[in-house]
């Protein structure tokens, strides 16, 4: 044994202590540099996209299949999908909130949501694109806004359904607690409704962005009669490569898209999932949590903590104080004005409401009259083809839903129950779900042709590739939202597998499962426009179906057929929702609502 001098050991201790202090002081500075770097990158991106959008539109855009063009194309597509998602998020929260709390408008708004989600992207295309180009005739932003709105129509509906279903299933004791503590509407929204709906909204956001990638090819490059609209982006790159049969370019495009999806998962979705995990409604906290290095960076950045302490927290307290004071004053004024409210003011408000409703009804009647004029051009033979195509698409949609549910429910529950598995499987699922099926369809179609199949079977495969993720992501969200104490009780009482599924798992995921099935059904109808009508090597493959009729009518500019086929599709989807999904929604709101 060697005895060291006391001076040596004390010097060594001071050295170790000093080193630990240096690391402790320098690490937050490194985190601040990382946050600053992200901010500068975002600022540079905004400057570049503004320079491109507000430039003059190019008369004819040629899509280059060179790999060197992919970084620029990828940047444009990410911006379009990101802006469409932000627009979808605000719309979904606002629409779902009003639908959940407005007794007069709820039935009408949910019916409208059913209709809107059943309308294919290509059916929105003529009105949206022509309107945006008319609004901005001399700037590139017109075409860009048109593409963003079209991507929005493919993303938003399942998010709106998710937020609406979450509000309707808020446990009774939480609602009563908010009333006892006299929360204002804003406090209830921020401190109860948004947190409770966070998990479902996050996972539906992921599948919405995946749906945006699915329809990116249709939104960035399409024909409308004699007009050929195309924008530089990954969607137009993949569609050009698929049309030319250039598998090398398809591979490069898919690799680029996968790299973007992986980066999005690590930089956005994983931090958001880890953050939303704290809103899980449970009595016993689980020890296994989703973790994210980027979320750790934001939570331990001194600059962000200082910004929150000096701006966000005082602003929040001021807003809450102002809301409390204004609510008290409003109650006092309401009590005082109940007895002596001026009759003229009430009459003026009533007449104003009547005028607004009359204008809205007149606008709807005018649009309906114009639509009837278009429908008169449809002959009996075309009407019969549309009905025949509707039945064929109906069968394909239901087959694809059954096949999707058979594997997504058990896999989704396994991922939602096991955080370690979720850390591995969630990025993989996100990548696979975000790869647009139309980019893979050339390979699938050629393989089916070689083995004797055709587009009839291939269309079912493409519908599954585009819609099964709605079910999977909602099941994962439902499984994650099941309180840990319920799962531990089932383990404590030694439930069998069948008992666990019947009493805990299926009731727990039921509201999320119905949301996923509803949106998957609408997504399958929407995907039929690509699944039943596909161009490959300058040859168009199509099968009997409503989606093929809509795609062909869009290409040829036959708006009367496009309108009638869209109406038939919307009527079929709404009828199914009324007869099947709406009763199941009511069951989820009553029998399978999580109450204490």
């Amino acid at each position: 044994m060697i005895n060291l001098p006391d001076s040596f050991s004390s010097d060594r201790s001071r050295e170790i202590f000093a080193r630990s202090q240096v690391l402790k002081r320098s690490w937050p500075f490194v985190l601040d540099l990382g946050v600053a770097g992200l901010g500068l990158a975002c600022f540079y991106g905004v400057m570049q996209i503004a320079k491109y959008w507000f430039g003059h539109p190019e008369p004819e855009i040629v899509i280059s299949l060179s790999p060197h063009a992919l970084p620029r194309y990828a940047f444009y597509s990410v911006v379009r999908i990101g802006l469409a998602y932000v627009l979808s998020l605000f719309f979904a929260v606002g629409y779902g909130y009003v639908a959940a709390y407005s007794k007069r408008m709820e039935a009408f708004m949910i019916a409208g949501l059913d209709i809107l989600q059943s309308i294919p992207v290509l059916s929105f295309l003529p009105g949206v694109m022509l309107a945006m180009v008319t609004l901005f005739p001399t700037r590139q932003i017109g075409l860009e806004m048109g593409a963003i709105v079209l991507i929005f129509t493919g993303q938003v509906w399942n998010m709106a359904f998710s937020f609406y279903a979450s509000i309707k299933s808020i446990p009774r004791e939480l609602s009563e607690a908010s009333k006892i503590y006299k929360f204002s509407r804003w406090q209830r929204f921020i401190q109860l409704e948004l947190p409770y709906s966070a998990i479902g909204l996050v996972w539906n956001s992921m599948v919405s962005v995946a749906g945006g990638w699915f329809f990116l090819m249709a939104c960035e490059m399409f024909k409308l009669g004699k007009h050929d609209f195309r924008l530089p982006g990954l969607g137009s790159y993949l569609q050009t490569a698929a049309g030319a049969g250039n598998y090398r370019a398809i591979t490069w495009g898919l690799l680029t898209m996968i790299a973007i999806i992986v980066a999005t998962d690590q930089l956005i979705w994983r931090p958001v999932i880890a953050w939303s995990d704290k809103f899980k409604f449970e009595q016993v906290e689980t020890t296994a949590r989703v973790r994210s290095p980027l979320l750790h960076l934001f939570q331990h950045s001194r600059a962000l903590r200082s910004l929150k302490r000096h701006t966000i927290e005082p602003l929040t307290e001021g807003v809450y104080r102002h809301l409390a004071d204004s609510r008290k004053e409003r109650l006092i004024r309401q009590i005082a004005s109940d007895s002596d409210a001026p009759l003229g003011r009430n009459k003026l408000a009533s007449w104003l409401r009547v005028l607004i409703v009359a204008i809205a009804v007149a606008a709807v009647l005018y649009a309906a009259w114009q639509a009837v004029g278009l429908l008169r051009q449809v002959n009996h033979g075309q009407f019969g083809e549309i009905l025949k195509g509707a039945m064929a698409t109906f069968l394909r949609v239901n087959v694809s839903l059954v096949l999707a549910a058979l594997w997504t429910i058990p896999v989704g529950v396994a991922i939602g129950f096991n955080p370690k598995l979720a850390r591995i499987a969630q990025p993989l699922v996100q990548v696979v779900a975000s790869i647009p099926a139309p980019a893979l369809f050339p390979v699938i179609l050629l393989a089916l042709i070689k083995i004797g199949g055709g587009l009839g079977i291939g269309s079912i495969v493409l519908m599954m590739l585009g819609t099964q993720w709605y079910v999977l992501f909602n099941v994962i969200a439902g499984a994650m939202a099941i309180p840990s104490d319920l799962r531990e009780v089932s383990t404590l009482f030694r439930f069998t597998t069948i008992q666990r599924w019947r009493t805990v798992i299926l009731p727990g995921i039921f509201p999320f499962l119905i949301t996923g099935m509803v949106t998957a059904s609408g997504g399958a109808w929407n995907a039929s426009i690509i699944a039943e009508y596909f161009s490959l090597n300058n040859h168009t493959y199509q099968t009997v179906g409503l989606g093929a009729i809509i795609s062909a009518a869009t290409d040829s500019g036959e708006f009367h057929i496009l309108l009638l086929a869209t109406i038939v599709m919307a009527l079929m989807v709404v009828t199914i929702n009324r007869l099947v999904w709406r009763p199941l929604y009511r069951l989820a709101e009553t029998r399978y609502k999580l109450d204490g």
Side-chain angles (χ1 to χ4, degrees), residues 310-367:
H310 291 94
T311 58
I312 298 177
E313 290 180 354
L315 181 62
T316 303
E317 290 298 325
V319 168
Y320 284 154
R321 192 179 302 111
H322 174 73
L323 288 173
D325 294 340
S326 62
R327 186 167 181 267
K328 185 187 300 182
E329 294 175 1
R330 187 168 61 252
L331 289 174
I332 295 174
R333 287 198 304 267
Q334 183 178 356
I335 294 173
S337 62
D338 282 342
S339 57
D340 55 353
L343 186 61
R345 184 183 302 174
N346 293 335
K347 285 187 175 180
L348 179 62
S350 300
W351 278 108
L352 184 61
R353 285 195 296 268
V354 171
L355 179 62
I356 294 174
V357 172
I359 293 174
V361 170
V364 171
L365 290 176
Y366 175 78

Side-chain angles (χ1 to χ4, degrees), residues 10 37 43 81 97 140 159 174 207 214 248 279 549 593:
S10 60
F43 177 77
I81 289 181
Y97 183 88
Q140 181 69 22
M159 294 170 61
L174 294 184
V207 77
F214 182 90
R248 181 175 177 271
F279 299 122
I549 294 173
K593 184 176 181 179

Side-chain angles (χ1 to χ4, degrees), residues 117 158 397 400-401 404 463 466-472 474 514-526 581:
Q117 74 142 351
N158 63 297
V397 166
S400 65
L401 280 179
M463 285 181 184
T467 60
Q468 59 193 353
W469 313 114
Y470 291 102
V471 184
L472 178 62
N474 274 279
I514 297 304
T515 299
M517 294 295 286
V518 169
T519 52
S521 176
W525 283 96
N526 213 328
W581 303 122

Side-chain angles (χ1 to χ4, degrees), residues 14-93:
R14 283 195 296 269
E15 180 183 350
I16 295 174
F17 178 75
R19 186 183 304 168
S20 64
Q21 288 298 105
V22 168
L23 291 175
K24 186 176 180 179
R25 288 195 299 267
S26 61
W27 178 239
F29 177 73
V30 174
L31 295 180
D32 293 341
L33 287 180
V35 173
L38 289 174
L40 290 175
C42 292
F43 177 77
Y44 177 76
V46 169
M47 295 296 295
Q48 291 298 312
I49 204 67
K51 181 180 178 181
Y52 168 64
W53 278 13
F54 290 97
H56 294 285
E58 299 180 25
E60 183 177 357
I61 296 178
V62 178
I63 304 300
S64 171
L65 295 182
S66 170
H68 299 290
L70 279 173
R72 181 165 57 93
Y73 289 170
F75 172 68
Y76 291 150
S77 295
V78 167
V79 170
R80 292 180 192 120
I81 289 181
L83 291 177
Y85 168 73
V86 172
L87 184 62
S88 300
L89 182 62
F90 281 102
F91 178 90
V93 171

Side-chain angles (χ1 to χ4, degrees), residues 55-222:
H56 294 285
E58 299 180 25
E60 183 177 357
I61 296 178
V62 178
I63 304 300
S64 171
L65 295 182
S66 170
H68 299 290
L70 279 173
R72 181 165 57 93
Y73 289 170
F75 172 68
Y76 291 150
S77 295
V78 167
V79 170
R80 292 180 192 120
I81 289 181
L83 291 177
Y85 168 73
V86 172
L87 184 62
S88 300
L89 182 62
F90 281 102
F91 178 90
V93 171
Y95 196 97
Y97 183 88
V98 175
Y101 285 112
S102 176
K103 298 299 182 183
R104 294 181 179 179
M105 298 293 294
E106 181 178 8
F108 175 78
M109 293 181 71
I110 296 303
L113 202 60
D114 289 338
I115 295 172
L116 289 172
Q117 74 142 351
S118 65
I119 298 177
V121 170
L122 290 184
S123 298
F124 287 107
L125 190 150
V128 169
M129 192 55 65
L130 293 177
M132 291 300 172
V133 172
T134 303
L135 284 175
F136 305 97
T138 61
R139 291 289 182 268
Q140 181 69 22
I141 192 174
L143 286 174
E144 294 288 341
M145 291 301 296
I148 289 170
V149 173
L150 289 176
I151 297 172
F152 161 83
T153 62
Q155 286 185 342
V156 65
W157 317 120
N158 63 297
M159 294 170 61
F161 269 121
S162 173
F163 190 73
Y164 166 79
S166 296
I167 291 181
K168 298 294 285 187
S169 61
I170 290 177
R172 185 175 58 251
E173 64 267 26
L174 294 184
S175 298
E176 292 175 352
S178 67
K179 293 178 183 177
I180 291 173
Y181 287 101
K182 296 181 179 180
F183 279 16
S184 65
R185 287 187 178 182
W186 178 252
Q187 285 176 299
R188 179 183 170 92
F189 177 72
I190 294 296
Q191 298 181 358
L192 175 59
E193 291 155 354
L194 273 182
Y196 187 80
S197 62
I199 294 178
L201 200 56
V202 166
W203 285 92
N204 274 280
S205 295
M206 295 171 64
V207 77
S208 289
V209 173
W213 286 108
F214 182 90
F215 289 108
L216 190 68
M217 294 174 66
C219 296
E220 288 186 346
M221 186 175 177
F222 52 86

